[in-house]
Amino acid sequence: MSNNNEMLLIPKIELGIVIDHIPAGQGPKILDIIFQYEEMKDVPVTLGLNYTSKKLGKKDLIKLQMDYLAPEIIQHISIMVPGVTVKAVKDYKVHSKVVVHPPKEIKNLLECKNPNCITNSEAHIGTLFTAIDDSAKQVKCYYCERIFALDELDVVIP
Ligand code: CTP
Ligand code: ZN
């Protein structure tokens, strides 16, 4: 199939958010994340799987018919599937493109697994983790200083 196969399958949109360059197979994972947020429940979504990509060989992509994707949702996606591109489309044109990587500081998204951590006994204290390496695969709790692999921590949805 040609490199333009995606345009044959999903029409261009007038206004919306395109999550592009998703490694093939990870699109459904991102959809799961998106639909954990109450505000996203009614947003029209198109999922494309296994499209040809110059960069990745194969990629998934998601189009959302909405004009704004909340930063906490982008942060959540960036932690679970680093390196995707979030594109904003307006008047049929790509207005902005941002490649999203896990942030150096992850606020109020992950639960600390240390039962003695203050964030688990004092509800008003939010959680804060800092990346301890560039890949952000390991993070350290700001409060109890314990180190965890990112994928062992549970996500709390507000
Ligand atoms: N797109 C869309 N509607 C538009 C414009 C673009 O749905 N009106 C989608 C395309 O379907 C495609 C993505 O946005 O999935 C491509 O955007 P663009 O950045 O223009 O493409 P490239 O330059 O090929 O992207 P890149 O170099 O970042 O891979
Ligand atoms: Zn802690």
Side-chain angles (χ1 to χ4, degrees):
M1 247 193 262
S2 78
N3 278 336
N4 283 333
N5 62 349
E6 103 184 23
M7 276 164 39
L8 304 174
L9 293 169
I10 315 183
K12 294 225 166 196
I13 52 176
E14 182 178 359
L15 179 83
I17 306 285
V18 178
I19 306 174
D20 202 352
H21 306 139
I22 304 170
Q26 305 282 296
K29 187 166 155 188
I30 294 183
L31 269 196
D32 281 350
I33 293 170
I34 286 172
F35 284 114
Q36 284 171 40
Y37 291 85
E38 197 54 42
E39 68 208 81
M40 301 297 292
K41 290 271 188 286
D42 294 323
V43 174
V45 174
T46 309
L47 170 66
L49 300 175
N50 290 326
Y51 284 59
T52 303
S53 158
K54 278 183 209 134
K55 264 188 208 165
L56 302 173
K58 278 191 185 294
K59 69 174 183 184
D60 293 348
L61 104 172
I62 291 170
K63 296 190 189 191
L64 305 166
Q65 274 183 55
M66 63 184 314
D67 55 6
Y68 173 80
L69 188 58
E72 61 267 28
I73 301 178
I74 296 180
Q75 174 182 257
H76 191 168
I77 293 169
S78 75
I79 290 164
M80 298 303 171
V81 187
V84 303
T85 308
V86 177
K87 301 173 176 182
V89 174
K90 273 189 193 137
D91 298 324
Y92 289 99
K93 290 198 185 78
V94 177
H95 222 255
S96 64
K97 292 187 194 188
V98 183
V99 181
V100 296
H101 293 291
K104 293 265 175 290
E105 291 195 336
I106 302 168
K107 269 187 204 149
N108 300 332
L109 184 71
L110 302 169
E111 241 165 72
C112 185
K113 278 234 149 69
N114 172 5
N116 300 322
C117 181
I118 190 164
T119 60
N120 288 317
S121 48
E122 305 283 333
H124 65 280
I125 298 184
T127 63
L128 177 61
F129 289 86
T130 53
I132 62 165
D133 56 20
D134 281 345
S135 68
K137 290 227 169 74
Q138 288 200 306
V139 291
K140 182 163 138 184
C141 175
Y142 172 81
Y143 294 97
C144 69
E145 302 195 321
R146 223 181 252 192
I147 291 170
F148 301 92
L150 201 46
D151 54 17
E152 72 178 299
L153 295 176
D154 295 324
V155 172
V156 243
I157 306 294

